[in-house]
């Protein structure tokens, strides 16, 4: 990541602390500290990705709402426990559970002790505690090495109700903190950052009105709410505090293993959720239509296909290549002559491609000779589909003329060429005085 940023001309400043920040109209005033010195800077935008103890969140007065009820301990240890290393193991110890997650290193595990109650976190105390807990749970002695890493943390389920104040934003753990039980913290932080990044890029480049940035919180706060709900459930399953749970869970899992179609369905749902592929923005202000009852990809859902599909179908292969362009993608499955006009007015913000049933090596058209692309998206013959820069389907419908499509692009806050602001304006584009473009705090 550092090399990629350097290649794009972005420098990372290490050892710099954000001491204060305040939105002020079309700028943000910030105070940075380094080597005991204070520096006042003014930037057009500021993103606080500075963790659960976020300075940005505090300065903006954004409150975390929720609760913190348990204290857990993480430790990386080498075990001699004769456990298969192709699976996680949840060991009920009587006073709680220890979740064991295998590492690639021989014999090494991440141990998550959900019954920790402040008995001390020095390596030897942790080693003895884990050895005793695992011996009780497994019914045999377990050799535990001194941990190479220990972390004690409060299991929190908290999130904020706003992610923006003026030209300041928060993302990741600065916006939502939760149990690590479902393994979604890093994924969700990256999704926050990407969702904000492409919208901010469109505004900074003059491709979209600033109202587009309001959709960041509109889309990501509901995701944070669903995340807290799912991690609360996962936390309860991992901790197994209910006395009945240690008995009921093995019975339920045995039934699940016996019914293989059900097992595959449950596994598919778990993997889709943990990978982030099930995430959708169906209720977003950027989504037009629900797609209920319609074939193909529903508006608000991710446009994706497998490697096998790409290998078999030229249209899907061409789509994958088209999606590497950072602009919006408008696919026209019939051209009544309006594509050129749309490209002339919106070509900076939107990649406009006519889909044709034959190869066209010299032109900008996208070939879909076996109709697989149209059927995958569920677009009616002669219709259209609009895909966001992050690969989610914003809308699709019948071909109804340039006027209708122009209105749809305008409703998504996109600016036509003749109304886009000039370079160096308050949208945050490069200014001739060389002032900073923006600050991201981590």
């Amino acid at each position: 990541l550092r090399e990629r940023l350097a290649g794009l001309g972005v420098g990372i400043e290490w050892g710099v602390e954000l001491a204060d920040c305040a939105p002020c109209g079309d700028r943000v005033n910030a105070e940075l500290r380094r080597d005991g010195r204070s520096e006042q800077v003014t930037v057009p935008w500021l993103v606080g990705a500075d963790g659960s103890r976020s300075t940005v969140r505090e300065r903006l007065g954004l409150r975390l709402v929720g609760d913190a009820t348990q204290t857990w301990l993480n430790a990386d240890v080498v075990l001699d426990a004769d456990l298969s290393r192709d699976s996680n193991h949840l060991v009920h110890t009587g006073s709680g559970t220890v979740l064991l997650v295998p590492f690639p290193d021989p014999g090494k595990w991440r141990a998550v002790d959900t019954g920790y109650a402040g008995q001390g976190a020095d390596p030897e105390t942790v080693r003895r505690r884990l050895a005793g807990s695992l011996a009780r749970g497994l019914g045999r002695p377990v050799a535990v090495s001194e941990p190479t890493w220990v972390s004690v943390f409060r299991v929190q389920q908290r999130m904020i109700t706003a992610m923006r104040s003026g030209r300041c934003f928060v993302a990741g753990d600065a916006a939502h903190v939760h149990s690590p039980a479902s393994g979604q913290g890093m994924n969700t932080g990256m999704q926050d950052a990407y969702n904000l990044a492409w919208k901010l890029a469109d505004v900074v480049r003059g491709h979209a009105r600033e109202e587009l940035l309001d959709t960041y919180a509109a889309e990501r706060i509901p995701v944070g709410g669903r995340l807290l709900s799912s991690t609360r459930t996962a936390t309860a399953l991992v901790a197994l505090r209910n006395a009945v749970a240690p008995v009921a869970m093995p019975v339920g899992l045995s039934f699940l293993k016996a019914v293989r179609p059900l097992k595959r369905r449950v596994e598919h749902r778990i993997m889709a959720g943990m990978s982030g592929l099930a995430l959708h923005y169906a209720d977003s202000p950027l989504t037009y239509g629900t797609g209920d009852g319609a074939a193909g990809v529903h508006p608000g859902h991710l446009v994706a296909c497998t490697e096998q599909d790409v290998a078999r179908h030229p249209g899907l292969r061409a789509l994958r290549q088209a999606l590497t362009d950072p602009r919006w993608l408008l696919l026209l499955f019939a051209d009544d002559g309006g594509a050129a006009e749309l490209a002339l007015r919106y070509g900076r913000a939107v990649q406009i491609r006519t889909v044709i049933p034959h190869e066209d090596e010299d032109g900008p058209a996208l070939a879909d000779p076996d109709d697989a692309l149209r059927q995958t998206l569920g677009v009616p013959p002669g219709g259209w589909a609009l895909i966001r820069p992050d690969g989610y389907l914003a809308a699709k419908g019948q071909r109804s003329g340039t006027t209708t499509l122009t209105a749809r692009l305008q409703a998504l806050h996109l600016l036509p060429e003749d109304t886009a602001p000039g370079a160096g304006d308050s949208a945050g584009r490069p200014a001739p005085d060389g002032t900073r473009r923006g600050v991201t705090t981590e």
Side-chain angles (χ1 to χ4, degrees):
L1 287 174
R2 290 195 292 270
E3 291 173 359
R4 177 62 175 154
L5 284 171
L8 294 171
V10 178
I12 300 175
E13 299 179 346
W14 299 98
V16 181
E17 176 190 3
L18 178 79
D20 199 3
C21 65
C24 183
D26 62 357
R27 289 287 188 250
V28 182
N29 296 324
E31 178 187 353
L32 304 179
R33 290 178 186 159
R34 74 180 86 210
D35 301 326
R37 295 180 292 107
S38 179
E39 175 187 356
Q40 303 295 324
V41 298
T42 299
V43 294
W45 306 94
L46 184 142
V47 181
D50 48 345
S52 60
R53 297 181 177 88
S54 169
T55 299
V56 175
R57 185 186 66 232
E58 178 187 341
R59 294 297 188 270
L60 298 180
L62 303 176
R63 292 181 58 249
L64 282 173
V65 179
D67 54 45
T69 57
Q70 302 177 35
T71 301
W72 287 6
L73 179 143
N74 281 344
D76 292 351
V77 293
V78 174
L79 302 179
D80 182 9
D82 192 26
L83 295 172
S84 63
R85 297 184 53 78
D86 61 354
S87 175
N88 295 346
H89 298 270
L90 188 60
V91 182
H92 187 62
T93 65
S95 59
T97 59
V98 175
L99 174 64
L100 297 175
V101 182
F103 278 10
D105 304 19
K108 191 169 186 178
W109 299 79
R110 164 70 51 81
V112 183
D113 186 350
T114 71
Y116 176 81
Q119 299 93 335
D122 63 279
E124 178 57 23
T125 300
V126 171
R127 188 197 68 77
R128 288 200 307 267
R129 174 178 168 78
L130 287 175
S133 296
L134 292 173
R136 288 194 304 273
L138 297 174
R140 59 181 183 272
V142 176
V144 180
S145 73
E146 183 174 291
T148 57
W149 175 79
V150 175
S151 173
V152 177
F153 60 96
R154 291 276 285 170
V155 177
Q156 301 187 65
Q157 304 289 354
R158 303 180 190 270
M159 63 178 290
I160 60 177
T161 57
M163 300 179 77
R164 177 187 184 187
S165 177
R167 291 195 163 206
C168 296
F169 303 85
V170 290
D173 287 356
H176 37 73
V177 291
H178 53 87
S179 164
S182 59
Q184 292 299 292
M186 181 176 66
N187 291 355
T188 306
M190 289 178 176
Q191 291 163 359
D192 284 348
Y194 193 35
N195 187 285
L196 175 59
W198 70 262
K199 295 171 181 176
L200 187 57
D202 266 2
V203 172
V204 167
R205 291 167 178 156
H207 297 170
R209 297 190 300 275
E210 194 172 320
E211 288 86 344
L212 178 63
L213 296 173
D214 293 333
T215 68
Y216 169 57
E219 292 187 339
R220 296 305 300 173
I221 285 178
V223 170
R226 292 195 294 270
L227 173 68
L228 261 62
S229 177
S230 65
T231 55
R232 186 175 285 110
T233 300
T235 300
L237 288 173
V238 170
L240 288 181
R241 295 293 172 86
N242 188 313
V244 178
V247 178
M249 180 175 275
V251 174
L253 292 176
S254 297
F255 173 77
L256 192 63
K257 290 176 67 176
V259 185
R260 295 190 65 82
L262 178 61
K263 178 175 181 287
R264 284 194 297 270
R265 184 175 179 182
V266 170
E267 287 175 341
H268 179 77
R269 286 179 64 102
I270 291 173
M271 292 306 297
M274 294 194 72
S275 65
L277 295 176
L279 173 69
H280 66 81
Y281 299 117
D283 298 326
S284 165
L286 297 180
T287 298
Y288 179 69
T290 63
D292 290 343
V297 181
H298 290 185
H301 289 251
L302 186 66
V303 176
C305 52
T306 66
E307 288 290 340
Q308 292 84 355
D309 290 336
V310 167
R312 287 196 297 260
H313 304 295
L316 296 179
R317 190 158 55 248
L319 173 66
R320 184 169 70 170
Q321 179 60 37
L323 288 174
T324 63
D325 189 308
R327 294 175 293 174
W328 294 71
L329 173 62
L330 176 60
L331 298 174
L332 304 176
F333 289 84
D335 185 7
D336 59 4
E341 179 183 346
L342 287 169
L344 186 64
R345 297 199 70 202
Y346 286 94
R348 295 194 317 155
V350 184
Q351 178 189 182
I352 298 167
R353 306 288 294 274
T354 300
V355 182
I356 58 177
H358 55 81
E359 296 290 344
D360 182 24
E361 296 181 359
D362 299 325
L366 194 153
D368 184 30
D370 59 3
D371 206 33
L373 172 56
R374 186 188 66 80
Q375 292 183 35
T376 297
L377 295 176
V379 176
W384 57 273
L386 180 63
I387 303 173
R388 301 163 24 149
D390 57 357
Y392 287 83
L393 182 67
K396 62 182 178 180
Q398 298 280 354
R399 183 76 166 116
S400 51
T402 305
T403 301
T404 299
L405 289 174
T406 297
R408 176 53 36 206
L409 295 176
Q410 290 175 345
L412 295 170
H413 311 296
L414 298 179
L415 289 168
E417 187 77 21
D418 52 359
T419 61
D425 64 8
S426 62
R429 297 156 93 146
D433 61 2
T435 53
R436 291 172 182 256
R437 303 286 84 79
V439 171
T440 298
T441 72
E442 294 187 1

